[in-house]
Amino acid sequence: MAQRILVLFNLKDGVTRERYEDWAKTKDIPGVRALKSVDTFDVYRNTGLLMGDGTPPYQYFEILDINDMDVFGQEASSEAMQAVAAEFQNELTKDLVFLTTEQL
């Protein structure tokens, strides 16, 4: 059964939108989309709140549709993907929230 994962996050202080988005377009998105266990992977910049004023609690979010969680775990453990994940988590982002979902 397919699994959808949502990842919510903000950029670390000092990381510009341009730096992150260039990294996402050149490393993260192509790398994750190349995984056999991933059916779709998209990254979104939050542009505002639909209702109300203020700043959204997260600047970005990702949506991953995984066709096999066991294979995904193996692929995500590769040296190349671990390097991408480390850069994502240690250098670029903060306030990371990983959500697994189940469709009703």
Side-chain angles (χ1 to χ4, degrees):
M1 174 184 253
Q3 177 76 54
R4 179 166 283 169
I5 299 171
L6 305 175
V7 183
L8 311 171
F9 59 94
N10 291 310
L11 300 181
K12 282 192 174 183
D13 297 336
V15 175
T16 65
R17 177 174 132 179
E18 293 78 17
R19 176 181 171 203
Y20 165 71
E21 291 182 10
D22 179 64
W23 175 87
K25 290 174 185 176
T26 59
K27 289 187 180 179
D28 192 31
I29 294 169
V32 175
R33 285 183 178 168
L35 301 178
K36 292 178 182 167
S37 61
V38 176
D39 287 335
T40 60
F41 175 61
D42 295 301
V43 180
Y44 297 88
R45 180 182 342 109
N46 203 338
T47 60
L49 299 171
L50 181 61
M51 298 172 60
D53 296 326
T55 304
Y58 295 97
Q59 295 169 302
Y60 291 88
F61 63 96
E62 300 175 341
I63 300 174
L64 297 93
D65 288 322
I66 310 299
N67 59 51
D68 188 316
M69 287 299 290
D70 291 332
V71 173
F72 179 69
Q74 294 168 3
E75 291 179 321
S77 297
S78 74
E79 189 174 320
M81 288 310 300
Q82 285 296 302
V84 170
E87 199 170 2
F88 177 72
Q89 294 179 21
N90 299 331
E91 297 178 29
L92 299 170
T93 64
K94 64 179 182 178
D95 306 325
L96 282 161
V97 177
F98 293 86
L99 302 169
T100 58
T101 66
E102 183 176 272
Q103 187 172 6
L104 301 181

